[in-house]
Amino acid sequence: MIEVRRDMAEALAEAWSQIGRCGTWWTGAERVEIAAETRRAATCALCSARRAALSPATVSGVHDPCSSFPLASVEAIHRIRTDSGRLGAGWYERLLADGLSDAYYVELLSIVAIVVAVDTFRAAVGLPPLPLSASAAGEPARRRPVGAKPGLAWMPTLAPEDRAAEDPDLYRENPGPRERGGGNVHRALSLVPRSMIHWWDMFETMYLPAPAMRDFSREYRAISHAQIEFLAARVAALNQCVY
Amino acid sequence: MDGTSDVGVDCAALLSEFADSVLACHGAALDTSRKQLAAAIGAAGMIDAAAVIAGFNGICRIADATGIPLEPPKAELTAGLRADLGIDRFLEAKS
């Protein structure tokens, strides 16, 4: 019997359910399709060949998708899922040239990351994958944060100091008390505020909220700070993640 | 496997083996490493370890797929470490 910490179990369930809700740029049905495509990538022959190649650019072919998305979206989902450590700015720029917009990309990325995290967790503890979320109706608002600026990442991001009056406070106040310092990794998804909150509200229960991360006077989990950071470093190395 | 290592982290070898088998999706190896880790640190510890592995498997994708840089103070602080471990060479594989 697997007994998952209550706060984490609730956060994982909420994050999974949110995939099916209407997003800022994608509809609920499209978001569920992104989740399905994320899982599909794990068995895509092209992705497998690229992953094994010295350079993914040396392998041509077409993906084996399960959705009706345009090729740029399928390429984004599959590469992020299967070979994220070798993604570069040139690859991202080609996606934009092929018609995928920056904000659509960011929301897509948040869903891929959540599917990867939830599926990985369940496999790790010996649980079967969750069925895909049911999709809800709704029309995406398609609104960008006014204060978002280019420069930090491949796409514009919203820094705490650049937030306009009409932008949500992603870092401390909205929709409740959060304490995110606005580090680069916090800002990564900030072009789509709801996606950023979607990810971080789940992730902080799996890892640690920022104040707990820096509080070495006590332990917040059943493993120590040192064990947590050791695991984080190991996973980053296995994924060839520079950050 | 006694779960000890010279890195100064309790059960580092077991944790590392668990992370490796989770990311490799090795069914039999994963079952074994999960049981060994749970026996060493308890079921709750194993579950929290699984959560960290899974969460970072997701956030690595966010970091790499947005191109966010390391903050300058962190980059400066870890320059020697990154050079020693060969982490900077990961950048050469990006396309």
Side-chain angles (χ1 to χ4, degrees), chain B residues 11-38:
Chain B
C11 297
L14 289 171
L15 291 166
S16 182
E17 191 172 293
F18 186 48
D20 291 3
S21 60
V22 169
L23 264 59
C25 306
H26 282 164
L30 175 53
D31 286 345
T32 301
S33 63
R34 181 191 306 123
K35 286 173 186 164
Q36 287 178 336
L37 184 62

Side-chain angles (χ1 to χ4, degrees), chain A residues 64-99:
Chain A
D64 183 19
C66 64
S67 66
S68 56
F69 287 135
L71 289 178
S73 299
V74 173
E75 165 71 7
I77 296 165
H78 280 226
R79 283 293 305 281
I80 294 167
R81 169 67 183 83
T82 62
D83 199 12
S84 60
R86 295 194 291 181
L87 300 180
W91 170 82
Y92 172 73
E93 293 297 333
R94 287 192 291 277
L95 293 180
L96 298 191
D98 289 341

